Amino acid sequence: MKPGEQKLGDTRGRFLQVIKNGREMHDVDWTSGRILLSNRRLILAGTGGKRTIQLSKIREFGGRYDVNQRIATVSDYFSVHIPSGVVLLAPVDYDEFETDFFGALLNTEQFLARHPAVAGGVVQNTEWEKSRLKVETEAVSMATVGGKFVEIRLDDIGDVKTGERTIVDEHRSVIEVEHSDDEGTSLQTYISGSDRAISFLYTLLREGEELSETSIDLSETDKQVLTALYSGVSPFDIPNFLGLDVDEVEELFQRLIDHNVVEEIRVRHEVQLNARGRSIASDAINEQ
Protein backbone atom coordinates (compact mmCIF):
# COMPACT_ATOMS: atom_id res chain seq x y z
CA MET A 1 0.00 0.00 0.00
CA LYS A 2 1.09 3.55 -0.73
CA PRO A 3 1.72 6.15 2.03
CA GLY A 4 -1.59 7.23 3.53
CA GLU A 5 -3.39 4.24 2.05
CA GLN A 6 -5.25 1.82 4.31
CA LYS A 7 -6.39 -1.69 3.44
CA LEU A 8 -10.09 -2.14 4.15
CA GLY A 9 -10.94 -5.50 2.62
CA ASP A 10 -9.20 -8.60 1.30
CA THR A 11 -11.18 -11.58 0.04
CA ARG A 12 -11.45 -14.17 -2.69
CA GLY A 13 -14.08 -13.93 -5.39
CA ARG A 14 -14.89 -13.64 -9.09
CA PHE A 15 -14.97 -10.64 -11.41
CA LEU A 16 -15.36 -9.61 -15.05
CA GLN A 17 -16.05 -6.59 -17.25
CA VAL A 18 -19.52 -6.85 -18.71
CA ILE A 19 -19.71 -3.52 -20.57
CA LYS A 20 -16.69 -2.11 -22.36
CA ASN A 21 -16.68 1.22 -24.20
CA GLY A 22 -20.48 1.20 -24.27
CA ARG A 23 -20.82 -2.34 -25.67
CA GLU A 24 -22.21 -5.34 -23.79
CA MET A 25 -19.83 -8.32 -23.69
CA HIS A 26 -22.07 -11.37 -24.09
CA ASP A 27 -19.35 -14.03 -24.27
CA VAL A 28 -17.50 -13.09 -21.08
CA ASP A 29 -16.96 -15.46 -18.17
CA TRP A 30 -15.97 -15.00 -14.55
CA THR A 31 -12.31 -14.84 -13.52
CA SER A 32 -11.48 -16.19 -10.07
CA GLY A 33 -8.94 -14.35 -7.93
CA ARG A 34 -8.30 -12.00 -5.09
CA ILE A 35 -10.28 -8.80 -4.44
CA LEU A 36 -8.51 -6.13 -2.39
CA LEU A 37 -9.99 -2.86 -1.24
CA SER A 38 -8.26 0.19 0.21
CA ASN A 39 -9.47 3.69 0.97
CA ARG A 40 -8.17 4.65 -2.49
CA ARG A 41 -8.24 1.64 -4.79
CA LEU A 42 -9.97 -1.55 -5.76
CA ILE A 43 -7.53 -4.24 -6.91
CA LEU A 44 -8.60 -7.34 -8.85
CA ALA A 45 -5.84 -9.94 -9.06
CA GLY A 46 -6.46 -13.04 -11.19
CA THR A 47 -4.57 -15.53 -13.34
CA GLY A 48 -4.54 -13.01 -16.19
CA GLY A 49 -2.87 -10.29 -14.15
CA LYS A 50 -3.81 -7.44 -11.85
CA ARG A 51 -6.27 -4.61 -12.48
CA THR A 52 -6.50 -1.46 -10.39
CA ILE A 53 -9.58 0.76 -10.21
CA GLN A 54 -9.27 4.09 -8.44
CA LEU A 55 -12.27 4.68 -6.18
CA SER A 56 -12.42 8.27 -7.41
CA LYS A 57 -13.17 6.90 -10.90
CA ILE A 58 -16.26 4.97 -9.80
CA ARG A 59 -19.31 6.81 -11.07
CA GLU A 60 -22.11 4.51 -9.97
CA PHE A 61 -22.68 1.38 -7.93
CA GLY A 62 -25.40 -1.24 -8.29
CA GLY A 63 -27.72 -2.89 -10.79
CA ARG A 64 -27.71 -6.32 -12.46
CA TYR A 65 -26.23 -7.08 -15.89
CA ASP A 66 -27.24 -10.66 -16.66
CA VAL A 67 -25.95 -10.71 -20.23
CA ASN A 68 -25.53 -14.50 -20.21
CA GLN A 69 -26.51 -17.53 -18.13
CA ARG A 70 -23.16 -17.74 -16.33
CA ILE A 71 -23.80 -14.30 -14.83
CA ALA A 72 -27.54 -14.73 -14.27
CA THR A 73 -27.04 -17.78 -12.04
CA VAL A 74 -24.96 -15.74 -9.54
CA SER A 75 -27.36 -14.21 -7.03
CA ASP A 76 -24.97 -11.83 -5.25
CA TYR A 77 -22.66 -9.58 -7.23
CA PHE A 78 -21.82 -5.88 -7.41
CA SER A 79 -21.81 -3.75 -10.54
CA VAL A 80 -19.22 -0.99 -10.53
CA HIS A 81 -19.54 1.74 -13.18
CA ILE A 82 -16.25 3.23 -14.35
CA PRO A 83 -15.31 5.37 -17.39
CA SER A 84 -14.49 2.31 -19.54
CA GLY A 85 -17.72 0.46 -18.73
CA VAL A 86 -19.13 -1.79 -16.01
CA VAL A 87 -17.22 -4.33 -13.90
CA LEU A 88 -18.99 -7.04 -11.89
CA LEU A 89 -17.63 -8.34 -8.58
CA ALA A 90 -18.81 -11.46 -6.73
CA PRO A 91 -16.80 -11.64 -3.49
CA VAL A 92 -17.03 -14.72 -1.29
CA ASP A 93 -17.69 -12.59 1.80
CA TYR A 94 -20.42 -10.61 0.04
CA ASP A 95 -22.09 -8.85 3.00
CA GLU A 96 -18.84 -7.96 4.75
CA PHE A 97 -17.24 -6.71 1.55
CA GLU A 98 -20.33 -4.66 0.67
CA THR A 99 -20.12 -2.86 4.02
CA ASP A 100 -16.41 -2.20 3.49
CA PHE A 101 -17.02 -0.99 -0.06
CA PHE A 102 -19.76 1.48 0.86
CA GLY A 103 -17.57 2.64 3.74
CA ALA A 104 -14.65 3.26 1.39
CA LEU A 105 -16.91 5.37 -0.84
CA LEU A 106 -18.71 7.32 1.89
CA ASN A 107 -16.81 7.44 5.19
CA THR A 108 -14.45 10.22 4.08
CA GLU A 109 -17.15 12.37 2.47
CA GLN A 110 -18.53 15.55 4.00
CA PHE A 111 -22.29 15.89 4.36
CA LEU A 112 -24.87 18.34 5.62
CA ALA A 113 -27.71 16.98 7.75
CA ARG A 114 -30.97 18.17 9.28
CA HIS A 115 -31.97 15.94 12.17
CA PRO A 116 -34.68 15.49 12.95
CA ALA A 117 -36.26 17.34 10.03
CA VAL A 118 -39.59 15.75 10.96
CA ALA A 119 -40.49 14.00 14.23
CA GLY A 120 -43.80 12.23 14.79
CA GLY A 121 -45.16 13.81 11.63
CA VAL A 122 -44.35 17.35 12.81
CA VAL A 123 -41.81 19.47 10.93
CA GLN A 124 -38.97 20.55 13.22
CA ASN A 125 -37.13 23.86 13.20
CA THR A 126 -33.68 22.29 12.94
CA GLU A 127 -30.72 23.72 11.07
CA TRP A 128 -28.42 22.10 8.54
CA GLU A 129 -25.17 20.97 10.17
CA LYS A 130 -21.90 19.68 8.78
CA SER A 131 -21.57 15.98 9.50
CA ARG A 132 -19.62 12.81 8.87
CA LEU A 133 -21.07 9.35 8.55
CA LYS A 134 -19.85 5.82 9.08
CA VAL A 135 -21.20 2.78 7.26
CA GLU A 136 -21.62 -0.12 9.66
CA THR A 137 -22.85 -3.67 9.21
CA GLU A 138 -26.49 -2.94 10.04
CA ALA A 139 -26.67 0.85 10.16
CA VAL A 140 -25.46 4.20 8.92
CA SER A 141 -24.24 6.33 11.82
CA MET A 142 -23.85 10.08 11.51
CA ALA A 143 -22.25 12.65 13.82
CA THR A 144 -22.83 16.37 13.37
CA VAL A 145 -20.51 19.21 14.36
CA GLY A 146 -23.18 20.30 16.84
CA GLY A 147 -22.81 17.06 18.77
CA LYS A 148 -25.83 15.13 17.50
CA PHE A 149 -25.48 11.40 16.89
CA VAL A 150 -27.87 9.81 14.39
CA GLU A 151 -28.21 6.08 13.83
CA ILE A 152 -30.22 4.94 10.82
CA ARG A 153 -30.72 1.19 11.08
CA LEU A 154 -30.92 -0.33 7.63
CA ASP A 155 -33.74 -2.70 8.59
CA ASP A 156 -35.76 0.20 10.03
CA ILE A 157 -36.12 2.41 6.96
CA GLY A 158 -39.75 3.10 6.12
CA ASP A 159 -39.17 5.36 3.14
CA VAL A 160 -36.28 7.02 1.33
CA LYS A 161 -36.36 9.45 -1.57
CA THR A 162 -34.14 11.97 -3.28
CA GLY A 163 -34.79 15.46 -4.53
CA GLU A 164 -33.39 18.97 -4.48
CA ARG A 165 -33.63 21.61 -1.79
CA THR A 166 -32.25 25.10 -1.41
CA ILE A 167 -29.55 25.05 1.27
CA VAL A 168 -27.81 28.36 2.01
CA ASP A 169 -29.03 29.80 -1.33
CA GLU A 170 -27.76 26.81 -3.28
CA HIS A 171 -29.72 23.99 -4.92
CA ARG A 172 -28.33 20.70 -3.67
CA SER A 173 -29.20 17.01 -3.92
CA VAL A 174 -30.92 15.80 -0.75
CA ILE A 175 -31.92 12.40 0.62
CA GLU A 176 -34.99 12.29 2.85
CA VAL A 177 -34.97 9.09 4.90
CA GLU A 178 -37.70 7.98 7.30
CA HIS A 179 -36.65 5.83 10.27
CA SER A 180 -37.25 5.75 14.03
CA ASP A 181 -35.48 6.43 17.30
CA ASP A 182 -35.05 4.02 20.21
CA GLU A 183 -38.52 4.91 21.54
CA GLY A 184 -40.17 4.09 18.22
CA THR A 185 -40.91 7.70 17.25
CA SER A 186 -41.04 8.19 13.50
CA LEU A 187 -38.29 10.55 12.32
CA GLN A 188 -37.15 11.98 9.03
CA THR A 189 -33.53 12.93 8.52
CA TYR A 190 -32.42 15.04 5.55
CA ILE A 191 -28.91 14.49 4.19
CA SER A 192 -27.14 16.51 1.50
CA GLY A 193 -23.75 16.16 -0.14
CA SER A 194 -22.07 15.93 -3.49
CA ASP A 195 -24.16 14.34 -6.26
CA ARG A 196 -21.75 11.37 -6.35
CA ALA A 197 -21.87 10.77 -2.59
CA ILE A 198 -25.65 11.15 -2.48
CA SER A 199 -25.96 8.59 -5.29
CA PHE A 200 -23.92 6.02 -3.35
CA LEU A 201 -25.72 6.72 -0.07
CA TYR A 202 -29.12 6.47 -1.73
CA THR A 203 -28.18 3.06 -3.17
CA LEU A 204 -27.24 1.84 0.32
CA LEU A 205 -30.37 3.23 2.00
CA ARG A 206 -32.60 1.80 -0.74
CA GLU A 207 -31.22 -1.64 0.09
CA GLY A 208 -32.35 -1.06 3.65
CA GLU A 209 -35.78 0.13 2.51
CA GLU A 210 -36.21 -3.02 0.43
CA LEU A 211 -35.69 -5.09 3.57
CA SER A 212 -38.79 -3.38 5.01
CA GLU A 213 -41.09 -3.43 1.97
CA THR A 214 -44.06 -5.75 2.05
CA SER A 215 -46.89 -6.80 -0.22
CA ILE A 216 -49.14 -8.37 2.44
CA ASP A 217 -52.91 -7.99 2.07
CA LEU A 218 -54.25 -5.83 4.92
CA SER A 219 -57.88 -4.98 5.61
CA GLU A 220 -59.17 -1.43 6.02
CA THR A 221 -59.38 -2.03 9.79
CA ASP A 222 -55.73 -3.15 9.81
CA LYS A 223 -54.76 0.05 8.03
CA GLN A 224 -56.85 2.17 10.44
CA VAL A 225 -54.99 0.64 13.37
CA LEU A 226 -51.60 1.23 11.72
CA THR A 227 -52.58 4.81 10.92
CA ALA A 228 -53.65 5.40 14.53
CA LEU A 229 -50.36 4.00 15.84
CA TYR A 230 -48.47 6.12 13.30
CA SER A 231 -50.32 9.20 14.60
CA GLY A 232 -49.24 8.49 18.19
CA VAL A 233 -52.32 6.76 19.62
CA SER A 234 -51.38 4.34 22.41
CA PRO A 235 -52.08 0.68 21.55
CA PHE A 236 -54.15 0.49 24.77
CA ASP A 237 -56.39 3.30 23.47
CA ILE A 238 -56.98 1.71 20.05
CA PRO A 239 -60.32 -0.01 21.02
CA ASN A 240 -61.94 3.24 22.18
CA PHE A 241 -60.28 5.32 19.47
CA LEU A 242 -61.64 3.14 16.65
CA GLY A 243 -64.76 1.78 18.40
CA LEU A 244 -63.55 -1.81 18.30
CA ASP A 245 -63.90 -4.70 20.74
CA VAL A 246 -60.84 -5.30 22.92
CA ASP A 247 -60.60 -8.98 21.94
CA GLU A 248 -60.88 -8.03 18.26
CA VAL A 249 -57.98 -5.59 18.64
CA GLU A 250 -55.91 -8.24 20.43
CA GLU A 251 -56.44 -10.66 17.53
CA LEU A 252 -55.63 -7.89 15.07
CA PHE A 253 -52.38 -7.06 16.90
CA GLN A 254 -51.39 -10.73 16.82
CA ARG A 255 -52.02 -10.87 13.08
CA LEU A 256 -49.88 -7.77 12.51
CA ILE A 257 -47.13 -9.26 14.68
CA ASP A 258 -47.26 -12.47 12.63
CA HIS A 259 -46.96 -10.37 9.45
CA ASN A 260 -43.91 -8.58 10.95
CA VAL A 261 -45.61 -5.20 10.66
CA VAL A 262 -45.49 -4.33 14.37
CA GLU A 263 -43.20 -5.49 17.15
CA GLU A 264 -44.44 -6.82 20.47
CA ILE A 265 -43.15 -4.85 23.45
CA ARG A 266 -45.12 -6.46 26.29
CA VAL A 267 -47.24 -9.56 26.65
CA ARG A 268 -50.34 -7.34 26.77
CA HIS A 269 -49.63 -6.56 23.13
CA GLU A 270 -48.29 -3.08 23.51
CA VAL A 271 -46.92 -2.60 20.03
CA GLN A 272 -45.05 -0.01 18.02
CA LEU A 273 -44.74 0.36 14.28
CA ASN A 274 -41.64 -0.95 12.57
CA ALA A 275 -40.43 0.14 9.14
CA ARG A 276 -42.97 -1.97 7.26
CA GLY A 277 -45.85 -0.70 9.35
CA ARG A 278 -44.82 2.93 9.01
CA SER A 279 -44.54 2.54 5.24
CA ILE A 280 -48.03 1.00 4.98
CA ALA A 281 -49.57 3.59 7.33
CA SER A 282 -47.98 6.44 5.38
CA ASP A 283 -49.39 5.04 2.12
CA ALA A 284 -52.82 4.65 3.72
CA ILE A 285 -52.79 8.28 4.86
CA ASN A 286 -51.84 9.44 1.35
CA GLU A 287 -54.73 7.42 -0.11
CA GLN A 288 -57.27 9.23 2.08
Side-chain angles (χ1 to χ4, degrees):
M1 294 290 171
K2 298 179 180 179
E5 190 172 12
Q6 179 184 2
K7 184 169 74 172
L8 303 176
D10 186 350
T11 186
R12 305 291 298 179
R14 294 179 289 174
F15 40 85
L16 59 85
Q17 183 156 355
V18 72
I19 295 180
K20 187 173 183 178
N21 299 323
R23 183 170 63 90
E24 287 189 351
M25 314 290 286
H26 293 277
D27 297 329
V28 292
D29 199 357
W30 295 100
T31 296
S32 296
R34 188 179 177 191
I35 303 174
L36 295 96
L37 175 69
S38 79
N39 58 331
R40 295 181 181 176
R41 298 179 292 167
L42 176 66
I43 302 173
L44 311 177
T47 54
K50 183 174 70 173
R51 179 174 188 177
T52 298
I53 299 173
Q54 300 295 330
L55 296 188
S56 60
K57 299 294 184 181
I58 297 175
R59 298 172 172 175
E60 210 177 314
F61 184 52
R64 292 192 65 88
Y65 289 84
D66 297 335
V67 298
N68 62 41
Q69 192 62 25
R70 292 183 294 274
I71 297 173
T73 55
V74 177
S75 59
D76 292 330
Y77 67 72
F78 303 107
S79 60
V80 177
H81 300 240
I82 56 177
S84 65
V86 177
V87 174
L88 305 186
L89 311 176
V92 172
D93 303 321
Y94 181 89
D95 293 334
E96 181 180 348
F97 190 84
E98 181 183 42
T99 300
D100 292 337
F101 197 85
F102 273 115
L105 294 172
L106 293 170
N107 287 354
T108 59
E109 293 284 336
Q110 289 190 345
F111 294 90
L112 292 171
R114 272 190 64 196
H115 176 80
V118 180
V122 180
V123 177
Q124 305 295 300
N125 188 28
T126 50
E127 300 291 334
W128 290 95
E129 295 184 85
K130 292 181 180 179
S131 60
R132 294 277 191 178
L133 64 77
K134 181 179 180 182
V135 178
E136 301 176 312
T137 304
E138 298 179 347
V140 173
S141 300
M142 181 171 290
T144 72
V145 295
K148 294 178 182 177
F149 177 78
V150 186
E151 183 182 56
I152 302 172
R153 298 186 302 278
L154 295 177
D155 64 352
D156 184 52
I157 295 175
D159 186 41
V160 58
K161 58 186 178 182
T162 58
E164 285 197 352
R165 288 181 175 268
T166 300
I167 305 172
V168 194
D169 299 326
E170 181 181 357
H171 288 287
R172 298 174 61 102
S173 297
V174 174
I175 291 175
E176 301 177 7
V177 55
E178 192 273 332
H179 55 110
S180 65
D181 60 16
D182 293 337
E183 285 72 44
T185 302
S186 175
L187 305 174
Q188 288 185 34
T189 299
Y190 295 170
I191 306 169
S192 181
S194 69
D195 290 344
R196 181 173 178 271
I198 288 298
S199 174
F200 294 144
L201 181 58
Y202 179 72
T203 298
L204 174 59
L205 296 178
R206 272 290 294 143
E207 287 192 12
E209 182 188 29
E210 288 169 1
L211 293 174
S212 304
E213 289 179 346
T214 181
S215 58
I216 62 175
D217 186 18
L218 298 179
S219 69
E220 286 303 314
T221 302
D222 294 335
K223 293 179 181 178
Q224 288 175 5
V225 170
L226 293 176
T227 300
L229 291 170
Y230 187 80
S231 302
V233 177
S234 166
F236 301 119
D237 295 334
I238 291 292
N240 290 333
F241 186 78
L242 295 179
L244 300 173
D245 183 76
V246 172
D247 290 338
E248 181 184 358
V249 172
E250 284 292 304
E251 292 178 2
L252 188 151
F253 281 162
Q254 187 58 57
R255 185 167 65 253
L256 295 178
I257 291 169
D258 292 341
H259 282 310
N260 194 26
V261 173
V262 299
E263 300 167 348
E264 188 173 51
I265 297 177
R266 300 175 186 170
V267 177
R268 288 184 59 197
H269 282 167
E270 180 180 357
V271 297
Q272 68 183 23
L273 290 175
N274 59 18
R276 288 184 176 182
R278 293 195 304 273
S279 179
I280 294 169
S282 179
D283 290 341
I285 291 173
N286 292 333
E287 290 172 1
Q288 295 176 356

